[in-house]
Every structure is written in structure tokens, then in C-alpha cells.
Short mmCIF file of all heavy atoms in Angstrom, two decimals:
data_model
loop_
_atom_site.label_atom_id
_atom_site.label_comp_id
_atom_site.label_asym_id
_atom_site.label_seq_id
_atom_site.Cartn_x
_atom_site.Cartn_y
_atom_site.Cartn_z
N MET A 1 0.84 -1.21 -0.01
CA MET A 1 0.00 -0.02 0.00
C MET A 1 0.88 1.24 0.00
O MET A 1 1.90 1.34 0.68
CB MET A 1 -0.88 -0.01 1.25
CG MET A 1 -1.97 1.04 1.19
SD MET A 1 -3.14 0.83 2.56
CE MET A 1 -4.12 2.31 2.38
N GLU A 2 0.48 2.23 -0.79
CA GLU A 2 1.24 3.49 -0.91
C GLU A 2 1.09 4.30 0.38
O GLU A 2 0.02 4.30 1.02
CB GLU A 2 0.76 4.30 -2.09
CG GLU A 2 1.23 3.68 -3.41
CD GLU A 2 0.68 4.48 -4.61
OE1 GLU A 2 0.46 5.67 -4.45
OE2 GLU A 2 0.41 3.83 -5.64
N ALA A 3 2.15 5.03 0.73
CA ALA A 3 2.12 5.89 1.89
C ALA A 3 1.15 7.08 1.70
O ALA A 3 0.46 7.44 2.62
CB ALA A 3 3.50 6.34 2.24
N LYS A 4 1.24 7.61 0.51
CA LYS A 4 0.39 8.77 0.22
C LYS A 4 -0.51 8.47 -0.97
O LYS A 4 -0.06 8.00 -1.98
CB LYS A 4 1.28 10.00 -0.07
CG LYS A 4 1.89 10.58 1.17
CD LYS A 4 2.90 11.65 0.82
CE LYS A 4 3.57 12.20 2.06
NZ LYS A 4 4.77 12.96 1.73
N GLN A 5 -1.71 8.75 -0.77
CA GLN A 5 -2.74 8.55 -1.84
C GLN A 5 -3.09 9.86 -2.49
O GLN A 5 -3.46 10.77 -1.84
CB GLN A 5 -4.00 7.87 -1.27
CG GLN A 5 -3.76 6.51 -0.64
CD GLN A 5 -3.63 5.41 -1.73
OE1 GLN A 5 -4.12 5.60 -2.81
NE2 GLN A 5 -3.00 4.33 -1.34
N PHE A 6 -2.95 9.92 -3.79
CA PHE A 6 -3.38 11.10 -4.53
C PHE A 6 -3.69 10.70 -5.95
O PHE A 6 -3.26 9.62 -6.38
CB PHE A 6 -2.28 12.19 -4.49
CG PHE A 6 -0.95 11.72 -5.00
CD1 PHE A 6 -0.67 11.79 -6.33
CD2 PHE A 6 -0.02 11.21 -4.15
CE1 PHE A 6 0.58 11.39 -6.85
CE2 PHE A 6 1.22 10.78 -4.62
CZ PHE A 6 1.52 10.88 -5.96
N GLY A 7 -4.46 11.48 -6.62
CA GLY A 7 -4.83 11.15 -7.94
C GLY A 7 -5.24 12.36 -8.78
O GLY A 7 -5.28 13.48 -8.27
N LEU A 8 -5.56 12.09 -10.02
CA LEU A 8 -5.94 13.15 -10.92
C LEU A 8 -7.13 13.93 -10.44
O LEU A 8 -8.15 13.38 -10.01
CB LEU A 8 -6.26 12.52 -12.28
CG LEU A 8 -6.37 13.47 -13.49
CD1 LEU A 8 -5.05 14.13 -13.78
CD2 LEU A 8 -6.87 12.72 -14.70
N GLY A 9 -6.99 15.27 -10.47
CA GLY A 9 -8.10 16.14 -10.10
C GLY A 9 -8.13 16.52 -8.60
O GLY A 9 -8.88 17.36 -8.21
N ASP A 10 -7.28 15.87 -7.84
CA ASP A 10 -7.20 16.21 -6.38
C ASP A 10 -6.62 17.61 -6.17
O ASP A 10 -5.80 18.06 -6.95
CB ASP A 10 -6.31 15.23 -5.62
CG ASP A 10 -6.92 13.84 -5.50
OD1 ASP A 10 -8.07 13.67 -5.95
OD2 ASP A 10 -6.24 12.93 -4.99
N ILE A 11 -7.06 18.23 -5.11
CA ILE A 11 -6.46 19.49 -4.72
C ILE A 11 -5.51 19.20 -3.54
O ILE A 11 -5.90 18.58 -2.57
CB ILE A 11 -7.55 20.49 -4.18
CG1 ILE A 11 -8.65 20.68 -5.23
CG2 ILE A 11 -6.88 21.83 -3.81
CD1 ILE A 11 -8.20 21.45 -6.50
N VAL A 12 -4.26 19.57 -3.72
CA VAL A 12 -3.23 19.22 -2.72
C VAL A 12 -2.56 20.48 -2.15
O VAL A 12 -2.56 21.54 -2.76
CB VAL A 12 -2.14 18.27 -3.30
CG1 VAL A 12 -2.78 16.97 -3.75
CG2 VAL A 12 -1.40 18.96 -4.45
N GLN A 13 -2.01 20.28 -0.96
CA GLN A 13 -1.22 21.35 -0.33
C GLN A 13 0.24 20.88 -0.33
O GLN A 13 0.54 19.75 0.02
CB GLN A 13 -1.69 21.52 1.11
CG GLN A 13 -1.25 22.81 1.74
CD GLN A 13 -1.92 23.03 3.08
OE1 GLN A 13 -1.79 22.21 3.99
NE2 GLN A 13 -2.69 24.10 3.20
N MET A 14 1.17 21.77 -0.74
CA MET A 14 2.57 21.43 -0.81
C MET A 14 3.31 22.02 0.44
O MET A 14 2.76 22.83 1.15
CB MET A 14 3.23 22.00 -2.07
CG MET A 14 2.50 21.56 -3.34
SD MET A 14 2.36 19.78 -3.61
CE MET A 14 4.01 19.38 -4.21
N LYS A 15 4.51 21.56 0.67
CA LYS A 15 5.27 22.07 1.83
C LYS A 15 5.61 23.55 1.63
O LYS A 15 5.63 24.31 2.59
CB LYS A 15 6.55 21.26 2.01
CG LYS A 15 6.22 19.93 2.68
CD LYS A 15 7.39 19.05 2.82
CE LYS A 15 6.98 17.67 3.43
NZ LYS A 15 7.93 16.61 3.10
N LYS A 16 5.84 23.96 0.39
CA LYS A 16 6.10 25.37 0.11
C LYS A 16 4.97 25.92 -0.72
O LYS A 16 4.65 25.37 -1.76
CB LYS A 16 7.44 25.55 -0.64
CG LYS A 16 8.63 25.39 0.21
CD LYS A 16 9.89 25.68 -0.60
CE LYS A 16 11.15 25.40 0.18
NZ LYS A 16 12.35 25.46 -0.69
N PRO A 17 4.41 27.06 -0.30
CA PRO A 17 3.38 27.68 -1.17
C PRO A 17 3.97 28.30 -2.45
O PRO A 17 5.17 28.55 -2.50
CB PRO A 17 2.78 28.75 -0.23
CG PRO A 17 3.82 29.09 0.75
CD PRO A 17 4.66 27.87 0.92
N HIS A 18 3.13 28.53 -3.40
CA HIS A 18 3.57 29.22 -4.62
C HIS A 18 3.85 30.64 -4.29
O HIS A 18 3.23 31.23 -3.39
CB HIS A 18 2.42 29.11 -5.65
CG HIS A 18 2.82 29.47 -7.04
ND1 HIS A 18 2.20 30.45 -7.75
CD2 HIS A 18 3.83 28.99 -7.81
CE1 HIS A 18 2.80 30.57 -8.94
NE2 HIS A 18 3.76 29.69 -9.00
N PRO A 19 4.80 31.29 -4.97
CA PRO A 19 5.12 32.71 -4.70
C PRO A 19 3.91 33.63 -4.76
O PRO A 19 3.91 34.70 -4.14
CB PRO A 19 6.11 33.06 -5.83
CG PRO A 19 6.77 31.78 -6.15
CD PRO A 19 5.72 30.72 -5.96
N CYS A 20 2.84 33.26 -5.42
CA CYS A 20 1.64 34.10 -5.48
C CYS A 20 0.90 34.09 -4.14
O CYS A 20 -0.05 34.86 -3.95
CB CYS A 20 0.71 33.70 -6.62
SG CYS A 20 -0.31 32.25 -6.31
N GLY A 21 1.29 33.24 -3.23
CA GLY A 21 0.66 33.21 -1.92
C GLY A 21 -0.32 32.08 -1.70
O GLY A 21 -0.78 31.84 -0.60
N THR A 22 -0.66 31.42 -2.80
CA THR A 22 -1.63 30.30 -2.67
C THR A 22 -0.89 28.98 -2.38
O THR A 22 0.17 28.76 -2.93
CB THR A 22 -2.41 30.16 -4.02
OG1 THR A 22 -3.06 31.39 -4.30
CG2 THR A 22 -3.42 29.05 -3.99
N ASN A 23 -1.48 28.17 -1.55
CA ASN A 23 -0.92 26.83 -1.36
C ASN A 23 -1.99 25.76 -1.59
O ASN A 23 -2.28 24.95 -0.76
CB ASN A 23 -0.29 26.70 0.03
CG ASN A 23 0.65 25.48 0.07
OD1 ASN A 23 0.73 24.71 -0.88
ND2 ASN A 23 1.31 25.29 1.20
N GLN A 24 -2.57 25.88 -2.76
CA GLN A 24 -3.51 24.87 -3.23
C GLN A 24 -3.20 24.59 -4.68
O GLN A 24 -3.18 25.51 -5.50
CB GLN A 24 -4.97 25.35 -3.08
CG GLN A 24 -5.46 25.33 -1.67
CD GLN A 24 -6.94 25.67 -1.54
OE1 GLN A 24 -7.76 25.35 -2.42
NE2 GLN A 24 -7.29 26.34 -0.45
N TRP A 25 -2.99 23.34 -4.93
CA TRP A 25 -2.64 22.90 -6.30
C TRP A 25 -3.56 21.81 -6.78
O TRP A 25 -3.90 20.92 -6.01
CB TRP A 25 -1.20 22.38 -6.31
CG TRP A 25 -0.17 23.36 -5.87
CD1 TRP A 25 0.17 23.66 -4.56
CD2 TRP A 25 0.69 24.15 -6.67
NE1 TRP A 25 1.17 24.59 -4.54
CE2 TRP A 25 1.52 24.91 -5.82
CE3 TRP A 25 0.86 24.29 -8.05
CZ2 TRP A 25 2.51 25.81 -6.31
CZ3 TRP A 25 1.79 25.18 -8.52
CH2 TRP A 25 2.60 25.93 -7.67
N LYS A 26 -3.91 21.87 -8.04
CA LYS A 26 -4.75 20.80 -8.58
C LYS A 26 -3.90 19.89 -9.45
O LYS A 26 -3.09 20.35 -10.25
CB LYS A 26 -5.86 21.41 -9.45
CG LYS A 26 -6.87 20.39 -9.90
CD LYS A 26 -8.02 21.03 -10.60
CE LYS A 26 -9.09 20.01 -10.92
NZ LYS A 26 -10.28 20.59 -11.53
N ILE A 27 -4.02 18.57 -9.24
CA ILE A 27 -3.29 17.61 -10.08
C ILE A 27 -3.97 17.53 -11.42
O ILE A 27 -5.10 17.08 -11.51
CB ILE A 27 -3.19 16.26 -9.40
CG1 ILE A 27 -2.49 16.37 -8.04
CG2 ILE A 27 -2.45 15.28 -10.29
CD1 ILE A 27 -2.48 15.12 -7.23
N ILE A 28 -3.27 17.93 -12.48
CA ILE A 28 -3.90 17.89 -13.79
C ILE A 28 -3.29 16.85 -14.73
O ILE A 28 -3.79 16.58 -15.80
CB ILE A 28 -3.90 19.28 -14.46
CG1 ILE A 28 -2.48 19.85 -14.59
CG2 ILE A 28 -4.79 20.27 -13.70
CD1 ILE A 28 -2.41 21.14 -15.44
N ARG A 29 -2.19 16.22 -14.32
CA ARG A 29 -1.63 15.14 -15.09
C ARG A 29 -0.87 14.17 -14.19
O ARG A 29 -0.09 14.58 -13.34
CB ARG A 29 -0.69 15.70 -16.17
CG ARG A 29 -0.41 14.68 -17.30
CD ARG A 29 0.67 15.15 -18.18
NE ARG A 29 1.79 14.19 -18.12
CZ ARG A 29 2.93 14.36 -18.80
NH1 ARG A 29 3.13 15.39 -19.53
NH2 ARG A 29 3.87 13.46 -18.69
N MET A 30 -1.12 12.89 -14.40
CA MET A 30 -0.43 11.88 -13.60
C MET A 30 0.44 11.07 -14.55
O MET A 30 0.11 10.82 -15.69
CB MET A 30 -1.43 10.89 -13.00
CG MET A 30 -2.32 11.53 -11.93
SD MET A 30 -1.48 11.76 -10.33
CE MET A 30 -1.43 10.03 -9.81
N GLY A 31 1.59 10.63 -14.05
CA GLY A 31 2.46 9.82 -14.85
C GLY A 31 3.81 9.71 -14.14
O GLY A 31 3.86 9.82 -12.94
N MET A 32 4.88 9.49 -14.89
CA MET A 32 6.23 9.51 -14.34
C MET A 32 6.49 10.90 -13.73
O MET A 32 7.14 11.02 -12.71
CB MET A 32 7.27 9.28 -15.44
CG MET A 32 7.26 7.89 -15.99
SD MET A 32 7.98 6.72 -14.81
CE MET A 32 9.70 7.20 -14.94
N ASP A 33 5.96 11.88 -14.42
CA ASP A 33 5.96 13.28 -13.93
C ASP A 33 4.54 13.66 -13.62
O ASP A 33 3.59 13.19 -14.27
CB ASP A 33 6.56 14.22 -14.98
CG ASP A 33 8.03 13.92 -15.28
OD1 ASP A 33 8.74 13.60 -14.35
OD2 ASP A 33 8.39 14.00 -16.45
N ILE A 34 4.43 14.55 -12.67
CA ILE A 34 3.11 15.02 -12.26
C ILE A 34 2.95 16.49 -12.51
O ILE A 34 3.87 17.26 -12.17
CB ILE A 34 2.84 14.64 -10.78
CG1 ILE A 34 2.74 13.16 -10.66
CG2 ILE A 34 1.58 15.34 -10.27
CD1 ILE A 34 2.61 12.63 -9.27
N ARG A 35 1.91 16.85 -13.21
CA ARG A 35 1.69 18.27 -13.48
C ARG A 35 0.63 18.82 -12.49
O ARG A 35 -0.45 18.24 -12.41
CB ARG A 35 1.25 18.54 -14.94
CG ARG A 35 1.14 20.02 -15.25
CD ARG A 35 0.85 20.22 -16.73
NE ARG A 35 2.02 20.01 -17.57
CZ ARG A 35 3.00 20.91 -17.80
NH1 ARG A 35 2.98 22.07 -17.20
NH2 ARG A 35 4.01 20.61 -18.62
N ILE A 36 1.01 19.88 -11.81
CA ILE A 36 0.06 20.50 -10.90
C ILE A 36 -0.14 21.96 -11.32
O ILE A 36 0.76 22.56 -11.84
CB ILE A 36 0.50 20.41 -9.42
CG1 ILE A 36 1.91 20.96 -9.23
CG2 ILE A 36 0.40 18.97 -8.92
CD1 ILE A 36 2.40 21.04 -7.77
N LYS A 37 -1.36 22.42 -11.06
CA LYS A 37 -1.67 23.79 -11.40
C LYS A 37 -2.06 24.58 -10.14
O LYS A 37 -2.86 24.10 -9.34
CB LYS A 37 -2.87 23.78 -12.38
CG LYS A 37 -3.12 25.14 -12.99
CD LYS A 37 -4.10 25.05 -14.15
CE LYS A 37 -5.51 25.07 -13.65
NZ LYS A 37 -6.48 25.17 -14.74
N CYS A 38 -1.48 25.76 -10.02
CA CYS A 38 -1.75 26.59 -8.86
C CYS A 38 -3.22 27.06 -8.99
O CYS A 38 -3.62 27.61 -10.03
CB CYS A 38 -0.81 27.78 -8.84
SG CYS A 38 -1.19 28.95 -7.54
N VAL A 39 -3.97 26.84 -7.90
CA VAL A 39 -5.39 27.25 -7.93
C VAL A 39 -5.54 28.78 -7.94
O VAL A 39 -6.45 29.33 -8.48
CB VAL A 39 -6.13 26.64 -6.70
CG1 VAL A 39 -7.53 27.19 -6.55
CG2 VAL A 39 -6.15 25.12 -6.79
N GLY A 40 -4.52 29.45 -7.38
CA GLY A 40 -4.62 30.92 -7.26
C GLY A 40 -4.34 31.64 -8.59
O GLY A 40 -5.03 32.60 -8.90
N CYS A 41 -3.34 31.22 -9.34
CA CYS A 41 -2.93 32.02 -10.50
C CYS A 41 -2.90 31.18 -11.79
O CYS A 41 -2.50 31.69 -12.85
CB CYS A 41 -1.61 32.67 -10.27
SG CYS A 41 -0.22 31.49 -10.16
N ASP A 42 -3.30 29.89 -11.72
CA ASP A 42 -3.33 29.05 -12.92
C ASP A 42 -1.95 28.69 -13.52
O ASP A 42 -1.89 28.14 -14.59
CB ASP A 42 -4.18 29.68 -14.05
CG ASP A 42 -5.67 29.27 -13.87
OD1 ASP A 42 -5.97 28.56 -12.88
OD2 ASP A 42 -6.45 29.65 -14.75
N HIS A 43 -0.89 29.02 -12.82
CA HIS A 43 0.43 28.65 -13.27
C HIS A 43 0.60 27.16 -13.06
O HIS A 43 0.25 26.63 -11.99
CB HIS A 43 1.50 29.40 -12.48
CG HIS A 43 2.90 29.06 -12.81
ND1 HIS A 43 3.55 29.51 -13.93
CD2 HIS A 43 3.78 28.22 -12.19
CE1 HIS A 43 4.78 29.00 -13.95
NE2 HIS A 43 4.95 28.21 -12.92
N SER A 44 1.15 26.40 -14.05
CA SER A 44 1.30 24.98 -13.87
C SER A 44 2.77 24.58 -13.92
O SER A 44 3.58 25.23 -14.59
CB SER A 44 0.50 24.20 -14.87
OG SER A 44 1.07 24.28 -16.15
N VAL A 45 3.13 23.57 -13.14
CA VAL A 45 4.49 23.09 -13.10
C VAL A 45 4.50 21.57 -13.23
O VAL A 45 3.60 20.88 -12.78
CB VAL A 45 5.26 23.48 -11.81
CG1 VAL A 45 5.60 24.91 -11.79
CG2 VAL A 45 4.46 23.10 -10.58
N LEU A 46 5.59 21.06 -13.84
CA LEU A 46 5.76 19.62 -14.02
C LEU A 46 6.85 19.19 -13.05
O LEU A 46 7.96 19.68 -13.02
CB LEU A 46 6.19 19.34 -15.45
CG LEU A 46 6.10 17.93 -15.99
CD1 LEU A 46 4.67 17.42 -15.98
CD2 LEU A 46 6.69 17.87 -17.37
N ILE A 47 6.51 18.21 -12.23
CA ILE A 47 7.48 17.75 -11.20
C ILE A 47 7.59 16.23 -11.29
O ILE A 47 6.61 15.53 -11.41
CB ILE A 47 6.93 18.08 -9.77
CG1 ILE A 47 6.50 19.55 -9.66
CG2 ILE A 47 7.98 17.75 -8.71
CD1 ILE A 47 5.90 19.85 -8.31
N PRO A 48 8.83 15.71 -11.24
CA PRO A 48 9.03 14.27 -11.20
C PRO A 48 8.25 13.68 -9.97
O PRO A 48 8.23 14.31 -8.93
CB PRO A 48 10.55 14.10 -11.00
CG PRO A 48 11.13 15.36 -11.52
CD PRO A 48 10.12 16.45 -11.22
N ARG A 49 7.64 12.55 -10.17
CA ARG A 49 6.77 11.96 -9.17
C ARG A 49 7.43 11.88 -7.80
O ARG A 49 6.84 12.18 -6.75
CB ARG A 49 6.36 10.57 -9.62
CG ARG A 49 5.18 10.02 -8.83
CD ARG A 49 4.91 8.58 -9.25
NE ARG A 49 3.68 8.12 -8.62
CZ ARG A 49 2.53 8.06 -9.20
NH1 ARG A 49 2.40 8.37 -10.47
NH2 ARG A 49 1.43 7.65 -8.57
N GLN A 50 8.69 11.46 -7.76
CA GLN A 50 9.42 11.27 -6.50
C GLN A 50 9.51 12.63 -5.71
O GLN A 50 9.29 12.68 -4.53
CB GLN A 50 10.80 10.77 -6.77
CG GLN A 50 11.20 9.63 -5.83
CD GLN A 50 12.57 9.08 -6.17
OE1 GLN A 50 13.25 9.53 -7.09
NE2 GLN A 50 12.99 8.07 -5.41
N LYS A 51 9.82 13.64 -6.49
CA LYS A 51 9.96 14.99 -5.91
C LYS A 51 8.60 15.47 -5.42
O LYS A 51 8.49 16.04 -4.31
CB LYS A 51 10.48 15.99 -6.95
CG LYS A 51 11.57 16.86 -6.46
CD LYS A 51 12.10 17.74 -7.58
CE LYS A 51 13.61 17.84 -7.51
NZ LYS A 51 14.15 18.72 -8.57
N PHE A 52 7.59 15.22 -6.21
CA PHE A 52 6.23 15.62 -5.83
C PHE A 52 5.83 14.96 -4.51
O PHE A 52 5.28 15.64 -3.64
CB PHE A 52 5.24 15.18 -6.94
CG PHE A 52 3.81 15.45 -6.60
CD1 PHE A 52 3.24 16.72 -6.72
CD2 PHE A 52 3.03 14.41 -6.07
CE1 PHE A 52 1.89 16.93 -6.38
CE2 PHE A 52 1.69 14.66 -5.69
CZ PHE A 52 1.14 15.93 -5.89
N GLU A 53 6.10 13.67 -4.35
CA GLU A 53 5.74 12.98 -3.12
C GLU A 53 6.47 13.55 -1.94
O GLU A 53 5.92 13.59 -0.85
CB GLU A 53 6.01 11.48 -3.29
CG GLU A 53 4.99 10.84 -4.20
CD GLU A 53 5.19 9.31 -4.38
OE1 GLU A 53 6.08 8.78 -3.68
OE2 GLU A 53 4.52 8.70 -5.21
N LYS A 54 7.72 13.96 -2.14
CA LYS A 54 8.47 14.55 -1.07
C LYS A 54 7.93 15.93 -0.67
O LYS A 54 7.97 16.27 0.48
CB LYS A 54 9.95 14.72 -1.51
CG LYS A 54 10.85 13.76 -0.81
CD LYS A 54 12.30 14.00 -1.19
CE LYS A 54 12.96 12.71 -1.65
NZ LYS A 54 14.30 12.98 -2.21
N ARG A 55 7.47 16.66 -1.66
CA ARG A 55 6.97 18.04 -1.42
C ARG A 55 5.55 18.09 -0.96
O ARG A 55 5.07 19.08 -0.43
CB ARG A 55 7.13 18.89 -2.66
CG ARG A 55 8.59 19.17 -3.00
CD ARG A 55 8.61 20.13 -4.16
NE ARG A 55 10.00 20.28 -4.73
CZ ARG A 55 10.27 20.93 -5.84
NH1 ARG A 55 9.31 21.51 -6.52
NH2 ARG A 55 11.52 20.99 -6.22
N LEU A 56 4.83 17.02 -1.20
CA LEU A 56 3.40 16.99 -0.87
C LEU A 56 3.21 17.01 0.64
O LEU A 56 3.83 16.27 1.40
CB LEU A 56 2.77 15.68 -1.42
CG LEU A 56 1.29 15.48 -1.09
CD1 LEU A 56 0.42 16.48 -1.76
CD2 LEU A 56 0.89 14.05 -1.52
N LYS A 57 2.34 17.92 1.06
CA LYS A 57 2.04 18.04 2.54
C LYS A 57 0.79 17.20 2.81
O LYS A 57 0.82 16.31 3.60
CB LYS A 57 1.85 19.46 2.91
CG LYS A 57 1.93 19.68 4.39
CD LYS A 57 2.01 21.21 4.69
CE LYS A 57 1.86 21.49 6.18
NZ LYS A 57 1.70 22.94 6.41
N LYS A 58 -0.29 17.57 2.12
CA LYS A 58 -1.51 16.75 2.27
C LYS A 58 -2.46 16.97 1.13
O LYS A 58 -2.39 17.96 0.43
CB LYS A 58 -2.15 17.00 3.61
CG LYS A 58 -2.64 18.41 3.78
CD LYS A 58 -3.45 18.50 5.09
CE LYS A 58 -3.96 19.91 5.36
NZ LYS A 58 -4.85 19.98 6.51
N VAL A 59 -3.36 16.03 1.00
CA VAL A 59 -4.41 16.17 -0.01
C VAL A 59 -5.58 16.85 0.69
O VAL A 59 -6.07 16.41 1.72
CB VAL A 59 -4.84 14.78 -0.57
CG1 VAL A 59 -5.97 14.89 -1.58
CG2 VAL A 59 -3.65 14.05 -1.19
N LEU A 60 -6.01 17.98 0.11
CA LEU A 60 -7.11 18.75 0.68
C LEU A 60 -8.47 18.23 0.21
O LEU A 60 -9.38 18.11 1.02
CB LEU A 60 -6.94 20.23 0.34
CG LEU A 60 -5.70 20.95 0.86
CD1 LEU A 60 -5.59 22.31 0.23
CD2 LEU A 60 -5.72 21.04 2.36
N VAL A 61 -8.57 17.98 -1.07
CA VAL A 61 -9.83 17.55 -1.63
C VAL A 61 -9.59 16.37 -2.55
O VAL A 61 -8.78 16.47 -3.49
CB VAL A 61 -10.49 18.68 -2.47
CG1 VAL A 61 -11.82 18.21 -3.05
CG2 VAL A 61 -10.70 19.91 -1.63
N PHE A 62 -10.23 15.27 -2.24
CA PHE A 62 -10.09 14.08 -3.15
C PHE A 62 -11.14 14.21 -4.26
O PHE A 62 -12.33 14.39 -3.99
CB PHE A 62 -10.36 12.81 -2.36
CG PHE A 62 -9.20 12.45 -1.43
CD1 PHE A 62 -9.28 12.86 -0.09
CD2 PHE A 62 -8.11 11.77 -1.91
CE1 PHE A 62 -8.23 12.56 0.77
CE2 PHE A 62 -7.06 11.51 -1.00
CZ PHE A 62 -7.11 11.88 0.28
N ALA A 63 -10.68 14.11 -5.51
CA ALA A 63 -11.58 14.20 -6.64
C ALA A 63 -12.37 12.91 -6.71
O ALA A 63 -11.93 11.86 -6.25
CB ALA A 63 -10.81 14.41 -7.91
N GLN A 64 -13.56 13.03 -7.29
CA GLN A 64 -14.37 11.82 -7.55
C GLN A 64 -13.72 11.02 -8.65
O GLN A 64 -13.45 11.58 -9.73
CB GLN A 64 -15.76 12.23 -8.01
CG GLN A 64 -16.56 13.04 -6.95
CD GLN A 64 -17.21 12.16 -5.91
OE1 GLN A 64 -17.53 11.00 -6.18
NE2 GLN A 64 -17.38 12.68 -4.75
N ARG A 65 -13.42 9.77 -8.44
CA ARG A 65 -12.93 8.98 -9.53
C ARG A 65 -13.35 7.52 -9.41
O ARG A 65 -13.63 7.06 -8.32
CB ARG A 65 -11.40 9.12 -9.67
CG ARG A 65 -10.67 8.87 -8.38
CD ARG A 65 -9.15 9.02 -8.61
NE ARG A 65 -8.47 8.85 -7.34
CZ ARG A 65 -8.12 9.85 -6.54
NH1 ARG A 65 -8.40 11.10 -6.86
NH2 ARG A 65 -7.50 9.64 -5.40
N GLN A 66 -13.36 6.86 -10.52
CA GLN A 66 -13.86 5.50 -10.52
C GLN A 66 -12.68 4.52 -10.15
O GLN A 66 -11.55 4.71 -10.55
CB GLN A 66 -14.35 5.13 -11.93
CG GLN A 66 -15.61 5.88 -12.29
CD GLN A 66 -16.12 5.48 -13.64
OE1 GLN A 66 -15.32 5.22 -14.54
NE2 GLN A 66 -17.42 5.44 -13.83
N GLU A 67 -13.07 3.55 -9.38
CA GLU A 67 -12.09 2.49 -9.05
C GLU A 67 -12.09 1.50 -10.19
O GLU A 67 -13.13 1.12 -10.72
CB GLU A 67 -12.52 1.78 -7.74
CG GLU A 67 -12.64 2.72 -6.55
CD GLU A 67 -11.29 3.18 -6.01
OE1 GLU A 67 -10.30 2.47 -6.26
OE2 GLU A 67 -11.22 4.26 -5.39
N GLU A 68 -10.92 1.10 -10.55
CA GLU A 68 -10.84 0.10 -11.61
C GLU A 68 -10.15 -1.15 -11.14
O GLU A 68 -9.30 -1.11 -10.32
CB GLU A 68 -10.08 0.69 -12.83
CG GLU A 68 -10.96 1.71 -13.58
CD GLU A 68 -10.30 2.14 -14.89
OE1 GLU A 68 -9.79 1.25 -15.58
OE2 GLU A 68 -10.30 3.34 -15.16
ZN1 ZN B 1 0.22 30.78 -7.95
#
């Protein structure tokens, strides 16, 4: 079982907030790299999954998704 659960569409909080002052990010792409978008200013960044997991503080909102 994974230590941290997160998925596409979730709103997450990172250890460091974005310079715009917002610390809410939406996961918009999952893969080897994860793309997150700042909820405050719509700026998006691509982060290697390992780095993302290290920087992730917590998941604020779990998106609705189907179990497969
Ligand atoms: Zn921002």
C-alpha cells in the first residue's frame, strides 16, 4: 500500500506555497511526472513523481474517480 494517496483532479497542499501566496494545487496530469496547477494563479508546473511525493504536505480535496 502506498504511503500517500493522490490522484488526478485532487487539490493538494505542498510544503512550500507558490510565490503568489496560494498553497492549493490541482493535479492535472499523472504519470512519471506530475503536473500540478496553482489554484490561485493558474500557473502549472511539471514535477518528477518522487519529488512531488516529497513536497506533498497533504491532499485537501479528493476528486471523484472510478475505481478500476
Ligand atoms: Zn500561484
Side-chain angles (χ1 to χ4, degrees):
M1 192 172 171
E2 287 176 32
K4 285 171 182 166
Q5 298 282 338
F6 56 87
L8 192 66
D10 289 356
I11 306 292
V12 298
Q13 196 171 61
M14 307 303 279
K15 282 175 183 159
K16 283 184 186 170
H18 193 236
C20 79
T22 301
N23 197 355
Q24 284 186 34
W25 300 82
K26 188 174 187 177
I27 300 174
I28 56 172
R29 197 190 118 181
M30 294 282 287
M32 290 286 289
D33 297 320
I34 291 175
R35 185 174 285 279
I36 53 175
K37 189 169 85 171
C38 176
V39 171
C41 68
D42 272 3
H43 176 79
S44 72
V45 287
L46 194 65
I47 310 176
R49 195 186 187 102
Q50 224 176 1
K51 225 177 221 181
F52 174 83
E53 286 180 7
K54 251 183 230 172
R55 290 185 190 173
L56 177 66
K57 196 169 171 189
K58 64 174 178 173
V59 178
L60 297 171
V61 181
F62 288 95
Q64 298 278 332
R65 52 181 177 265
Q66 292 181 325
E67 302 286 337
E68 286 189 43

